[in-house]
Amino acid sequence: MDPLSKMGENEWVMNVNEELENMGDSSTEMEQWKKRSIYRVPSSVTDLNKRAYKPQSVSFGPYHYGDPNLKSMEENKQRALLHFLKRYKKPFECYVEAVMGIVEDLKHAYGSLDHKWHQDTLGFVKMMILDGCFMLEILRASTTEDGDMGNAEDVDDYASNDPVFSKHGKLYIMPYLKRDMLMLENQLPMLLLYTLVAVTKHENDPHQHDEELVNKMVQKFCSPYTRVAKKGRCLHPLDIYRKSLLWENPHHKKKTLTKSYHRLVIEEGDEIVRSATELYEAGIRFRKSRTRSLKGISFEGGVLKLPPVMVDDATESLYLNLIAFERLHVGAGNEVTSYIFFMDNIIDNARDVSLLHSQGIIQNAIGSDKAVAKLFNSLSKDITLDPDSELDVVHKQVHSYCRKPWNEWRANLIHTYFRSPWAILSVLAAILLFALTIVQTVYTVFPPQ
């Protein structure tokens, strides 16, 4: 064997043995994995739709830092930092010290951090503070009406023609910033935002976090039409957005299926649910849920209830990044993925979209029903449904209902003869005429004495 190869082999063996000696138990590994929450999306996923995962206007965090296409926004970050410092009147050193105190936790939040950031801690802190303050300024300018993060009179302290923070910027720039803010590769840890806000309020104790205040600002900006509820400590803005989509009013939660019924349904097979049009023809009616939560899908008494959903130009990117987060973050859950899987099953073409739109379930803001159908069909590529999810039970309930011949016969009767008042009158008239014919026949055969 080549002496150089032998030396390399010995060095490798020594390194592996050293790592083995320093290796902790499973609990140590678990704590290490728990720190990660922001990931690079694998190329096998991004290749299907690269634009959906790549920021177009601004970079937050290390993954897209220095992208030439995003550099134009960097000068706005510096200006936002100065406004931030001027408004809250706390020494800049306080923010630097506070972020330095959590810098290792911030680094560990990223799943695959370039080696240069481990070597350049000061550069990493600088990036975190600039990006964090810029994000907080975006949130404050877009959502704060009562001065939650400062004096009310200082809320509009930017120039009236500021390219980002003026009324013009809020109308034309903020929607694109929001889209980029909700991309998995473009996240900032909420710990960073909690800490920066804590310095503005508790300079002597930056660990005294006002978590719900920051959570509320993120939710109002990213999901303004969902009810604000306490969420506790969150991972990043995309995590908050996801939780807002899944929040259910405790008073409106659907009943939990019993285990025995769950087993009964599962035994009937794993067939895919038919399209909305086919379900309608099988006698299933569609209704809008009382909740906007994506978990608000239920089936009972031949009625399938679905939450209303707005479909616009940002929908595709949002759902793809939520699906990627659930796929990459262990313990995140699979509710969004299950919802998309279910919607793809019941939406095959424009007729299905039209049917759901007529019931107020789909609100179409992108144009044709065909485009909406194509969107849902594309979202479900390369995803897997958890067999233990609640929606899997709904799948099987619907399939079980469709398998009963009586339900389909009744549906055909209704669709054929009771589509309109005139059809109903015709049927009633035919029944009356038939009854009179029978009576006449009886009187003919058996004349009264």
Side-chain angles (χ1 to χ4, degrees), residues 281-320:
E281 291 174 350
I284 291 177
R285 291 161 290 163
F286 293 89
R287 294 287 184 272
K288 183 170 63 174
S289 300
R290 295 173 61 186
T291 174
R292 298 187 72 92
S293 169
L294 299 188
K295 296 167 66 176
I297 298 180
S298 62
F299 182 75
E300 185 176 1
V303 177
L304 181 59
K305 293 184 178 180
L306 299 164
V309 58
M310 171 68 75
V311 180
D312 56 26
D313 292 334
T315 300
E316 183 177 28
S317 175
L318 287 173
Y319 281 125
L320 285 175

mmCIF file of all heavy atoms in Angstrom, residues 281-320:
data_model
loop_
_atom_site.group_PDB
_atom_site.id
_atom_site.type_symbol
_atom_site.label_atom_id
_atom_site.label_comp_id
_atom_site.label_asym_id
_atom_site.label_seq_id
_atom_site.Cartn_x
_atom_site.Cartn_y
_atom_site.Cartn_z
ATOM 1 N N GLU A 281 -72.233 14.030 -7.332
ATOM 2 C CA GLU A 281 -73.118 13.113 -8.047
ATOM 3 C C GLU A 281 -73.421 11.867 -7.227
ATOM 4 O O GLU A 281 -74.414 11.181 -7.476
ATOM 5 C CB GLU A 281 -72.480 12.715 -9.377
ATOM 6 C CG GLU A 281 -72.414 13.868 -10.369
ATOM 7 C CD GLU A 281 -71.667 13.522 -11.630
ATOM 8 O OE1 GLU A 281 -71.032 12.437 -11.666
ATOM 9 O OE2 GLU A 281 -71.694 14.333 -12.582
ATOM 10 N N ALA A 282 -72.568 11.578 -6.239
ATOM 11 C CA ALA A 282 -72.808 10.443 -5.345
ATOM 12 C C ALA A 282 -73.653 10.843 -4.145
ATOM 13 O O ALA A 282 -73.869 10.027 -3.243
ATOM 14 C CB ALA A 282 -71.477 9.860 -4.873
ATOM 15 N N GLY A 283 -74.107 12.083 -4.126
ATOM 16 C CA GLY A 283 -75.007 12.518 -3.064
ATOM 17 C C GLY A 283 -74.374 13.307 -1.943
ATOM 18 O O GLY A 283 -75.045 13.665 -0.977
ATOM 19 N N ILE A 284 -73.085 13.600 -2.030
ATOM 20 C CA ILE A 284 -72.407 14.356 -0.978
ATOM 21 C C ILE A 284 -72.577 15.852 -1.233
ATOM 22 O O ILE A 284 -72.369 16.330 -2.347
ATOM 23 C CB ILE A 284 -70.915 13.984 -0.908
ATOM 24 C CG1 ILE A 284 -70.770 12.554 -0.389
ATOM 25 C CG2 ILE A 284 -70.136 14.959 -0.020
ATOM 26 C CD1 ILE A 284 -69.347 12.048 -0.332
ATOM 27 N N ARG A 285 -72.967 16.566 -0.204
ATOM 28 C CA ARG A 285 -73.116 18.017 -0.302
ATOM 29 C C ARG A 285 -71.907 18.690 0.327
ATOM 30 O O ARG A 285 -71.298 18.161 1.256
ATOM 31 C CB ARG A 285 -74.391 18.467 0.422
ATOM 32 C CG ARG A 285 -75.684 18.026 -0.266
ATOM 33 C CD ARG A 285 -76.844 18.078 0.684
ATOM 34 N NE ARG A 285 -76.738 17.032 1.709
ATOM 35 C CZ ARG A 285 -77.427 17.045 2.844
ATOM 36 N NH1 ARG A 285 -78.242 18.044 3.116
ATOM 37 N NH2 ARG A 285 -77.276 16.074 3.729
ATOM 38 N N PHE A 286 -71.587 19.876 -0.176
ATOM 39 C CA PHE A 286 -70.440 20.637 0.322
ATOM 40 C C PHE A 286 -70.931 21.861 1.082
ATOM 41 O O PHE A 286 -71.850 22.557 0.648
ATOM 42 C CB PHE A 286 -69.537 21.074 -0.841
ATOM 43 C CG PHE A 286 -68.846 19.927 -1.525
ATOM 44 C CD1 PHE A 286 -69.451 19.261 -2.587
ATOM 45 C CD2 PHE A 286 -67.598 19.495 -1.092
ATOM 46 C CE1 PHE A 286 -68.821 18.202 -3.208
ATOM 47 C CE2 PHE A 286 -66.962 18.434 -1.710
ATOM 48 C CZ PHE A 286 -67.579 17.787 -2.769
ATOM 49 N N ARG A 287 -70.281 22.108 2.210
ATOM 50 C CA ARG A 287 -70.619 23.278 3.014
ATOM 51 C C ARG A 287 -69.337 23.955 3.491
ATOM 52 O O ARG A 287 -68.303 23.292 3.666
ATOM 53 C CB ARG A 287 -71.455 22.894 4.245
ATOM 54 C CG ARG A 287 -72.826 22.349 3.915
ATOM 55 C CD ARG A 287 -73.773 23.427 3.440
ATOM 56 N NE ARG A 287 -75.109 22.896 3.220
ATOM 57 C CZ ARG A 287 -75.530 22.355 2.076
ATOM 58 N NH1 ARG A 287 -74.695 22.264 1.050
ATOM 59 N NH2 ARG A 287 -76.757 21.900 1.957
ATOM 60 N N LYS A 288 -69.399 25.228 3.711
ATOM 61 C CA LYS A 288 -68.263 25.977 4.247
ATOM 62 C C LYS A 288 -68.197 25.798 5.753
ATOM 63 O O LYS A 288 -69.202 25.934 6.446
ATOM 64 C CB LYS A 288 -68.410 27.462 3.885
ATOM 65 C CG LYS A 288 -67.245 28.322 4.322
ATOM 66 C CD LYS A 288 -67.355 29.727 3.711
ATOM 67 C CE LYS A 288 -68.584 30.459 4.197
ATOM 68 N NZ LYS A 288 -68.602 31.864 3.722
ATOM 69 N N SER A 289 -67.009 25.485 6.264
ATOM 70 C CA SER A 289 -66.825 25.308 7.706
ATOM 71 C C SER A 289 -67.026 26.618 8.444
ATOM 72 O O SER A 289 -66.879 27.705 7.879
ATOM 73 C CB SER A 289 -65.421 24.762 8.011
ATOM 74 O OG SER A 289 -65.205 23.523 7.403
ATOM 75 N N ARG A 290 -67.295 26.510 9.714
ATOM 76 C CA ARG A 290 -67.435 27.710 10.541
ATOM 77 C C ARG A 290 -66.076 28.311 10.870
ATOM 78 O O ARG A 290 -65.990 29.435 11.317
ATOM 79 C CB ARG A 290 -68.166 27.355 11.843
ATOM 80 C CG ARG A 290 -69.601 26.898 11.643
ATOM 81 C CD ARG A 290 -70.205 26.399 12.940
ATOM 82 N NE ARG A 290 -70.247 27.440 13.949
ATOM 83 C CZ ARG A 290 -70.619 27.245 15.204
ATOM 84 N NH1 ARG A 290 -70.947 26.008 15.605
ATOM 85 N NH2 ARG A 290 -70.632 28.235 16.068
ATOM 86 N N THR A 291 -65.015 27.553 10.652
ATOM 87 C CA THR A 291 -63.670 28.005 10.959
ATOM 88 C C THR A 291 -62.849 28.131 9.685
ATOM 89 O O THR A 291 -63.122 27.444 8.692
ATOM 90 C CB THR A 291 -62.953 27.025 11.912
ATOM 91 O OG1 THR A 291 -61.599 27.421 12.080
ATOM 92 C CG2 THR A 291 -62.991 25.608 11.365
ATOM 93 N N ARG A 292 -61.850 29.014 9.704
ATOM 94 C CA ARG A 292 -60.933 29.138 8.576
ATOM 95 C C ARG A 292 -59.719 28.226 8.738
ATOM 96 O O ARG A 292 -58.840 28.202 7.872
ATOM 97 C CB ARG A 292 -60.461 30.598 8.437
ATOM 98 C CG ARG A 292 -61.568 31.591 8.159
ATOM 99 C CD ARG A 292 -61.014 32.974 7.875
ATOM 100 N NE ARG A 292 -60.363 33.021 6.582
ATOM 101 C CZ ARG A 292 -60.976 33.374 5.453
ATOM 102 N NH1 ARG A 292 -62.253 33.702 5.458
ATOM 103 N NH2 ARG A 292 -60.309 33.409 4.312
ATOM 104 N N SER A 293 -59.655 27.503 9.843
ATOM 105 C CA SER A 293 -58.525 26.608 10.095
ATOM 106 C C SER A 293 -58.472 25.512 9.039
ATOM 107 O O SER A 293 -59.499 24.928 8.667
ATOM 108 C CB SER A 293 -58.646 25.986 11.485
ATOM 109 O OG SER A 293 -57.706 24.947 11.651
ATOM 110 N N LEU A 294 -57.252 25.202 8.570
ATOM 111 C CA LEU A 294 -57.094 24.127 7.602
ATOM 112 C C LEU A 294 -57.435 22.772 8.205
ATOM 113 O O LEU A 294 -57.609 21.785 7.474
ATOM 114 C CB LEU A 294 -55.653 24.106 7.063
ATOM 115 C CG LEU A 294 -55.174 25.359 6.332
ATOM 116 C CD1 LEU A 294 -53.806 25.101 5.703
ATOM 117 C CD2 LEU A 294 -56.161 25.814 5.284
ATOM 118 N N LYS A 295 -57.538 22.715 9.527
ATOM 119 C CA LYS A 295 -57.923 21.478 10.195
ATOM 120 C C LYS A 295 -59.442 21.315 10.242
ATOM 121 O O LYS A 295 -59.948 20.290 10.703
ATOM 122 C CB LYS A 295 -57.351 21.448 11.616
ATOM 123 C CG LYS A 295 -55.833 21.428 11.654
ATOM 124 C CD LYS A 295 -55.297 21.718 13.046
ATOM 125 C CE LYS A 295 -55.651 20.630 14.024
ATOM 126 N NZ LYS A 295 -55.039 20.886 15.352
ATOM 127 N N GLY A 296 -60.165 22.332 9.761
ATOM 128 C CA GLY A 296 -61.624 22.331 9.863
ATOM 129 C C GLY A 296 -62.314 21.554 8.768
ATOM 130 O O GLY A 296 -63.291 22.041 8.172
ATOM 131 N N ILE A 297 -61.831 20.368 8.430
ATOM 132 C CA ILE A 297 -62.472 19.506 7.440
ATOM 133 C C ILE A 297 -63.156 18.364 8.175
ATOM 134 O O ILE A 297 -62.530 17.670 8.981
ATOM 135 C CB ILE A 297 -61.451 18.945 6.431
ATOM 136 C CG1 ILE A 297 -60.803 20.089 5.642
ATOM 137 C CG2 ILE A 297 -62.112 17.956 5.478
ATOM 138 C CD1 ILE A 297 -59.771 19.623 4.627
ATOM 139 N N SER A 298 -64.437 18.173 7.919
ATOM 140 C CA SER A 298 -65.182 17.113 8.593
ATOM 141 C C SER A 298 -66.236 16.557 7.655
ATOM 142 O O SER A 298 -66.640 17.212 6.685
ATOM 143 C CB SER A 298 -65.834 17.652 9.873
ATOM 144 O OG SER A 298 -66.763 18.686 9.561
ATOM 145 N N PHE A 299 -66.688 15.350 7.953
ATOM 146 C CA PHE A 299 -67.727 14.707 7.143
ATOM 147 C C PHE A 299 -68.737 14.047 8.067
ATOM 148 O O PHE A 299 -68.375 13.254 8.935
ATOM 149 C CB PHE A 299 -67.112 13.658 6.216
ATOM 150 C CG PHE A 299 -68.122 12.987 5.322
ATOM 151 C CD1 PHE A 299 -68.649 13.652 4.234
ATOM 152 C CD2 PHE A 299 -68.540 11.687 5.587
ATOM 153 C CE1 PHE A 299 -69.580 13.038 3.408
ATOM 154 C CE2 PHE A 299 -69.469 11.068 4.770
ATOM 155 C CZ PHE A 299 -69.989 11.742 3.676
ATOM 156 N N GLU A 300 -69.994 14.392 7.879
ATOM 157 C CA GLU A 300 -71.041 13.822 8.724
ATOM 158 C C GLU A 300 -72.376 13.950 8.006
ATOM 159 O O GLU A 300 -72.707 15.005 7.464
ATOM 160 C CB GLU A 300 -71.103 14.546 10.076
ATOM 161 C CG GLU A 300 -72.080 13.929 11.056
ATOM 162 C CD GLU A 300 -72.043 14.618 12.417
ATOM 163 O OE1 GLU A 300 -71.269 15.574 12.574
ATOM 164 O OE2 GLU A 300 -72.800 14.202 13.314
ATOM 165 N N GLY A 301 -73.135 12.856 7.989
ATOM 166 C CA GLY A 301 -74.467 12.889 7.395
ATOM 167 C C GLY A 301 -74.492 13.261 5.926
ATOM 168 O O GLY A 301 -75.433 13.912 5.461
ATOM 169 N N GLY A 302 -73.459 12.863 5.190
ATOM 170 C CA GLY A 302 -73.433 13.168 3.770
ATOM 171 C C GLY A 302 -73.012 14.584 3.449
ATOM 172 O O GLY A 302 -73.087 15.011 2.290
ATOM 173 N N VAL A 303 -72.543 15.325 4.446
ATOM 174 C CA VAL A 303 -72.112 16.708 4.241
ATOM 175 C C VAL A 303 -70.610 16.812 4.512
ATOM 176 O O VAL A 303 -70.146 16.463 5.601
ATOM 177 C CB VAL A 303 -72.871 17.684 5.162
ATOM 178 C CG1 VAL A 303 -72.351 19.114 4.978
ATOM 179 C CG2 VAL A 303 -74.365 17.624 4.878
ATOM 180 N N LEU A 304 -69.866 17.265 3.520
ATOM 181 C CA LEU A 304 -68.429 17.475 3.653
ATOM 182 C C LEU A 304 -68.186 18.968 3.860
ATOM 183 O O LEU A 304 -68.477 19.783 2.984
ATOM 184 C CB LEU A 304 -67.692 17.000 2.400
ATOM 185 C CG LEU A 304 -66.167 17.135 2.385
ATOM 186 C CD1 LEU A 304 -65.539 16.368 3.542
ATOM 187 C CD2 LEU A 304 -65.596 16.657 1.054
ATOM 188 N N LYS A 305 -67.669 19.307 5.034
ATOM 189 C CA LYS A 305 -67.404 20.706 5.370
ATOM 190 C C LYS A 305 -65.927 21.019 5.175
ATOM 191 O O LYS A 305 -65.065 20.274 5.648
ATOM 192 C CB LYS A 305 -67.817 20.999 6.816
ATOM 193 C CG LYS A 305 -69.317 20.920 7.045
ATOM 194 C CD LYS A 305 -69.684 21.306 8.479
ATOM 195 C CE LYS A 305 -71.194 21.271 8.692
ATOM 196 N NZ LYS A 305 -71.552 21.645 10.084
ATOM 197 N N LEU A 306 -65.660 22.113 4.479
ATOM 198 C CA LEU A 306 -64.292 22.532 4.177
ATOM 199 C C LEU A 306 -64.111 23.995 4.546
ATOM 200 O O LEU A 306 -65.036 24.798 4.377
ATOM 201 C CB LEU A 306 -64.007 22.354 2.682
ATOM 202 C CG LEU A 306 -64.116 20.941 2.121
ATOM 203 C CD1 LEU A 306 -64.198 20.981 0.607
ATOM 204 C CD2 LEU A 306 -62.922 20.121 2.560
ATOM 205 N N PRO A 307 -62.926 24.360 5.036
ATOM 206 C CA PRO A 307 -62.683 25.768 5.387
ATOM 207 C C PRO A 307 -62.545 26.626 4.135
ATOM 208 O O PRO A 307 -62.036 26.150 3.109
ATOM 209 C CB PRO A 307 -61.365 25.719 6.163
ATOM 210 C CG PRO A 307 -60.667 24.505 5.607
ATOM 211 C CD PRO A 307 -61.754 23.513 5.307
ATOM 212 N N PRO A 308 -62.989 27.870 4.177
ATOM 213 C CA PRO A 308 -62.792 28.754 3.021
ATOM 214 C C PRO A 308 -61.316 29.070 2.837
ATOM 215 O O PRO A 308 -60.581 29.223 3.803
ATOM 216 C CB PRO A 308 -63.595 30.015 3.403
ATOM 217 C CG PRO A 308 -63.613 30.004 4.898
ATOM 218 C CD PRO A 308 -63.659 28.560 5.298
ATOM 219 N N VAL A 309 -60.882 29.160 1.595
ATOM 220 C CA VAL A 309 -59.474 29.434 1.313
ATOM 221 C C VAL A 309 -59.384 30.425 0.158
ATOM 222 O O VAL A 309 -60.078 30.298 -0.842
ATOM 223 C CB VAL A 309 -58.712 28.129 0.978
ATOM 224 C CG1 VAL A 309 -59.332 27.410 -0.213
ATOM 225 C CG2 VAL A 309 -57.245 28.418 0.708
ATOM 226 N N MET A 310 -58.539 31.436 0.340
ATOM 227 C CA MET A 310 -58.277 32.417 -0.712
ATOM 228 C C MET A 310 -57.106 31.942 -1.561
ATOM 229 O O MET A 310 -56.043 31.619 -1.036
ATOM 230 C CB MET A 310 -57.962 33.774 -0.096
ATOM 231 C CG MET A 310 -57.457 34.814 -1.092
ATOM 232 S SD MET A 310 -58.713 35.346 -2.270
ATOM 233 C CE MET A 310 -59.702 36.418 -1.206
ATOM 234 N N VAL A 311 -57.287 31.888 -2.858
ATOM 235 C CA VAL A 311 -56.228 31.472 -3.775
ATOM 236 C C VAL A 311 -55.788 32.689 -4.576
ATOM 237 O O VAL A 311 -56.566 33.246 -5.353
ATOM 238 C CB VAL A 311 -56.710 30.363 -4.726
ATOM 239 C CG1 VAL A 311 -55.583 29.948 -5.663
ATOM 240 C CG2 VAL A 311 -57.205 29.159 -3.933
ATOM 241 N N ASP A 312 -54.542 33.131 -4.355
ATOM 242 C CA ASP A 312 -54.018 34.289 -5.073
ATOM 243 C C ASP A 312 -52.616 33.979 -5.591
ATOM 244 O O ASP A 312 -52.159 32.834 -5.555
ATOM 245 C CB ASP A 312 -54.030 35.545 -4.198
ATOM 246 C CG ASP A 312 -53.260 35.362 -2.892
ATOM 247 O OD1 ASP A 312 -52.343 34.509 -2.861
ATOM 248 O OD2 ASP A 312 -53.554 36.058 -1.912
ATOM 249 N N ASP A 313 -51.909 35.017 -6.037
ATOM 250 C CA ASP A 313 -50.595 34.811 -6.653
ATOM 251 C C ASP A 313 -49.549 34.293 -5.666
ATOM 252 O O ASP A 313 -48.538 33.715 -6.088
ATOM 253 C CB ASP A 313 -50.095 36.123 -7.269
ATOM 254 C CG ASP A 313 -50.932 36.542 -8.463
ATOM 255 O OD1 ASP A 313 -51.531 35.653 -9.093
ATOM 256 O OD2 ASP A 313 -51.000 37.749 -8.762
ATOM 257 N N ALA A 314 -49.756 34.509 -4.354
ATOM 258 C CA ALA A 314 -48.775 34.082 -3.356
ATOM 259 C C ALA A 314 -49.060 32.688 -2.807
ATOM 260 O O ALA A 314 -48.233 32.124 -2.089
ATOM 261 C CB ALA A 314 -48.723 35.080 -2.200
ATOM 262 N N THR A 315 -50.220 32.127 -3.139
ATOM 263 C CA THR A 315 -50.643 30.856 -2.547
ATOM 264 C C THR A 315 -49.663 29.722 -2.814
ATOM 265 O O THR A 315 -49.308 28.959 -1.910
ATOM 266 C CB THR A 315 -52.031 30.463 -3.080
ATOM 267 O OG1 THR A 315 -52.973 31.493 -2.723
ATOM 268 C CG2 THR A 315 -52.491 29.145 -2.495
ATOM 269 N N GLU A 316 -49.212 29.601 -4.032
ATOM 270 C CA GLU A 316 -48.325 28.497 -4.393
ATOM 271 C C GLU A 316 -47.043 28.508 -3.571
ATOM 272 O O GLU A 316 -46.663 27.494 -2.976
ATOM 273 C CB GLU A 316 -47.992 28.560 -5.885
ATOM 274 C CG GLU A 316 -47.137 27.396 -6.363
ATOM 275 C CD GLU A 316 -46.885 27.439 -7.860
ATOM 276 O OE1 GLU A 316 -46.884 28.553 -8.430
ATOM 277 O OE2 GLU A 316 -46.689 26.370 -8.459
ATOM 278 N N SER A 317 -46.376 29.654 -3.510
ATOM 279 C CA SER A 317 -45.127 29.754 -2.765
ATOM 280 C C SER A 317 -45.343 29.481 -1.284
ATOM 281 O O SER A 317 -44.563 28.769 -0.642
ATOM 282 C CB SER A 317 -44.508 31.144 -2.962
ATOM 283 O OG SER A 317 -43.358 31.306 -2.157
ATOM 284 N N LEU A 318 -46.407 30.034 -0.717
ATOM 285 C CA LEU A 318 -46.684 29.855 0.708
ATOM 286 C C LEU A 318 -46.863 28.383 1.059
ATOM 287 O O LEU A 318 -46.231 27.870 1.990
ATOM 288 C CB LEU A 318 -47.936 30.643 1.100
ATOM 289 C CG LEU A 318 -47.795 32.163 1.181
ATOM 290 C CD1 LEU A 318 -49.148 32.805 1.414
ATOM 291 C CD2 LEU A 318 -46.829 32.551 2.284
ATOM 292 N N TYR A 319 -47.713 27.694 0.320
ATOM 293 C CA TYR A 319 -47.987 26.295 0.644
ATOM 294 C C TYR A 319 -46.779 25.404 0.386
ATOM 295 O O TYR A 319 -46.524 24.465 1.148
ATOM 296 C CB TYR A 319 -49.200 25.792 -0.135
ATOM 297 C CG TYR A 319 -50.517 26.239 0.472
ATOM 298 C CD1 TYR A 319 -51.463 26.919 -0.277
ATOM 299 C CD2 TYR A 319 -50.812 25.980 1.800
ATOM 300 C CE1 TYR A 319 -52.666 27.330 0.278
ATOM 301 C CE2 TYR A 319 -52.002 26.384 2.376
ATOM 302 C CZ TYR A 319 -52.929 27.058 1.600
ATOM 303 O OH TYR A 319 -54.103 27.475 2.162
ATOM 304 N N LEU A 320 -46.026 25.675 -0.663
ATOM 305 C CA LEU A 320 -44.844 24.857 -0.934
ATOM 306 C C LEU A 320 -43.813 24.988 0.189
ATOM 307 O O LEU A 320 -43.174 24.005 0.580
ATOM 308 C CB LEU A 320 -44.219 25.258 -2.271
ATOM 309 C CG LEU A 320 -44.968 24.787 -3.519
ATOM 310 C CD1 LEU A 320 -44.316 25.338 -4.783
ATOM 311 C CD2 LEU A 320 -45.036 23.259 -3.587
#
